[in-house]
Amino acid sequence: QVQLVESGGGLVQPGGSLRLSCAVSGSMFSMYDMGWYRQAPGKQRDSVAVISNDGRTTYVDSVNGGFTISRDNAKNTGYLEMNSLNPEDTAVYYCTERQPVGAVFRRDWGQGTQVTVSS
């Protein structure tokens, strides 16, 4: 089975930086797109950034320029570098992988890691 494990969350002061990691196992990681979502209290889970299997990246407008998504296929690991964080970035951050299964696609999710931006 596919497993995704996020790490690197925690408490950071406004203006600080944080680096999240997503370790993936049980899949051909290098073949699939992966991304990061976040869910703040009282809100739905929304996309943050996506990276294709060959390294093409997409960011939502609210984080473009401040966040950087990357991947290391040799380590089966994805990353999200977050700079200039503000309290509005506080959320549970989830890693996801999308892969084709027959004629359809499936998504697998990690358990999430809490990011809290506060003084």
Side-chain angles (χ1 to χ4, degrees):
Q1 64 181 24
V2 180
Q3 294 181 338
L4 298 88
V5 180
E6 300 95 337
S7 62
L11 176 65
V12 63
Q13 295 183 356
S17 299
L18 210 58
R19 177 184 169 102
L20 307 182
S21 298
C22 174
V24 182
S25 62
S27 75
M28 296 296 293
F29 175 73
S30 63
M31 297 177 60
Y32 309 126
D33 298 345
M34 63 85 59
W36 291 90
Y37 282 64
R38 66 184 180 185
Q39 186 169 22
K43 295 193 174 184
Q44 66 182 26
R45 186 178 300 184
D46 292 326
S47 176
V48 176
V50 177
I51 184 168
S52 69
N53 66 324
D54 60 355
R56 293 169 293 168
T57 59
T58 304
Y59 302 91
V60 298
D61 292 340
S62 61
V63 303
N64 192 21
F67 289 13
T68 302
I69 188 172
S70 62
R71 65 191 297 160
D72 187 338
N73 288 339
K75 297 182 178 180
N76 283 12
T77 302
Y79 303 95
L80 183 67
E81 297 180 6
M82 303 181 292
N83 299 312
S84 300
L85 288 164
N86 60 64
E88 288 70 35
D89 296 314
T90 295
V92 178
Y93 284 71
Y94 298 89
C95 180
T96 184
E97 180 187 70
R98 192 183 82 161
Q99 59 180 264
V101 180
V104 300
F105 290 91
R106 63 170 287 171
R107 280 194 179 275
D108 294 283
W109 298 89
Q111 82 289 347
T113 184
Q114 177 71 49
V115 172
T116 302
V117 185
S118 175
S119 60

